[in-house]
Amino acid sequence: MKIVVCIKQVPDTEAEIKWDIPKGTLKRDSIDTIPNPFDEFAFEEALLTRENYDGDIVAISMGPEKANDVLRNALALTANEVYRLTDDAFAGSDTFGTASVLAAGIKKIGDVDLIFCGKQSTDGSTGVVGAEIASILGYSPLTYVSKIRQIDAANKKIVVERVIEGGTEVVEAKLPAVVSVIKGINEPRLPNLMGIRKAAKIEIPQWNADDLGIDKGKVGTAGSSTKVVEITVPPPRGAGEILKGEIEDVANIVTDKLIDMKVIK
């Protein structure tokens, strides 16, 4: 079984976010990054699937040189192959442009049975790239997956549990499939020191638009069908007010404040 995992770097949640206001994009080169937390669950699920059903894991990431960090981490966790998809033409891609580049990489890898990705990234938080990849490739889209029950590689079938509002549903689908997983589907492992040292010495292969056979006019800022038209930064939150006294007195103060603010009548 050939398994592909889509992984990416995202801004560290504790880092100062810097924007390129005219372009409506993040200044990613000047922001500390971390692996997208949801992708760590996706990669762990790929490892578990390989342990249970055999196969190879190929990790891909679209992005600038910093994306090599997340790919080296994948190598340290014993990914069989990794590829970075990078080209100036990819910059500013919307979700469909991003999915188009990732889908082209998956097609180039060839004979893929299963694709794992996190349910969303913590920067864009759109949660649609996995489904878009499935649509472009004509694969089964399986979103919000909380458990993989069974894979029948010989008969090209997969059975998963999906989280839905108010419960869980069990879905059987054909392979190849794109599976986006939720937090808590597993407990991601950490790479060991030997794996990290070995991965640090490996050169990360790169594929550009020409390698992937991508029309540069259909990706990036120029090719995206959606565009960020304005960015505003929310004002800093004001200091809170601590109320002291008897509970009844505090409750009355809170009630008066809510009435003044016209939250209640």
Side-chain angles (χ1 to χ4, degrees):
M1 180 181 297
K2 186 174 286 185
I3 305 163
V4 170
V5 190
C6 301
I7 54 181
K8 70 175 293 190
Q9 292 281 92
V10 295
D12 189 330
T13 52
E14 296 184 358
E16 180 185 358
I17 301 300
K18 298 177 181 177
W19 293 95
D20 185 330
I21 299 294
K23 293 182 179 178
T25 59
L26 288 171
K27 291 183 176 179
R28 294 182 183 273
D29 290 341
S30 59
I31 301 175
D32 292 335
T33 57
I34 59 172
N36 179 39
F38 292 103
D39 295 347
E40 294 184 306
F41 293 103
F43 194 84
E44 177 64 27
E45 201 59 31
L47 292 171
L48 294 172
T49 301
R50 186 179 64 180
E51 290 169 1
N52 291 327
Y53 299 98
D54 293 327
D56 290 332
I57 297 175
V58 184
I60 60 174
S61 185
M62 169 182 159
E65 190 170 356
K66 273 191 173 184
N68 283 346
D69 293 343
V70 73
L71 292 171
R72 290 196 190 285
N73 188 64
L75 285 169
L77 286 166
T78 72
N80 299 89
E81 300 174 52
V82 301
Y83 297 96
R84 181 162 66 92
L85 316 182
T86 183
D87 196 297
D88 289 344
F90 299 162
S93 290
D94 63 3
T95 60
F96 192 76
T98 299
S100 298
V101 173
L102 294 172
I106 293 163
K107 286 179 69 176
K108 187 173 177 66
I109 291 166
D111 298 323
V112 174
D113 300 291
L114 199 51
I115 301 159
F116 284 108
C117 55
K119 77 175 183 73
Q120 67 186 76
S121 63
T122 56
D123 49 2
S125 296
T126 59
V128 299
V129 171
E132 288 176 334
I133 292 172
S135 176
I136 293 168
L137 295 174
Y139 293 178
S140 303
L142 296 169
T143 55
Y144 295 95
V145 172
S146 59
K147 182 178 181 180
I148 293 180
R149 282 195 175 187
Q150 184 181 10
I151 297 174
D152 184 346
N155 292 304
K156 299 290 184 184
K157 291 182 181 178
I158 182 171
V159 181
V160 304
E161 293 181 13
R162 295 183 66 241
V163 173
I164 59 174
E165 187 173 353
T168 301
E169 68 175 7
V170 179
V171 178
E172 179 182 290
K174 294 180 180 178
L175 295 177
V178 180
V179 178
S180 64
V181 304
I182 64 170
K183 178 182 178 181
I185 187 174
N186 53 46
E187 185 66 33
R189 69 194 77 179
L190 297 173
N192 58 39
L193 182 58
M194 183 176 293
I196 294 172
R197 295 178 66 179
K198 184 178 178 181
K201 300 175 183 177
I202 298 176
E203 185 173 349
I204 306 295
Q206 300 178 29
W207 286 339
N208 61 25
D210 293 334
D211 295 327
L212 297 170
I214 290 176
D215 181 344
K216 295 182 181 179
K218 295 184 177 179
V219 294
T221 304
S224 294
S225 55
T226 60
K227 184 181 296 183
V228 177
V229 296
E230 184 180 0
I231 293 175
T232 57
V233 179
R237 298 178 65 178
E241 181 181 356
I242 298 175
L243 302 178
K244 297 181 179 179
E246 297 296 327
I247 292 178
E248 186 174 342
D249 294 336
V250 170
N252 288 331
I253 294 172
V254 171
T255 301
D256 291 341
K257 287 180 177 293
L258 292 175
I259 291 173
D260 291 342
M261 295 168 66
K262 299 182 179 178
V263 175
I264 60 175
K265 295 180 180 179

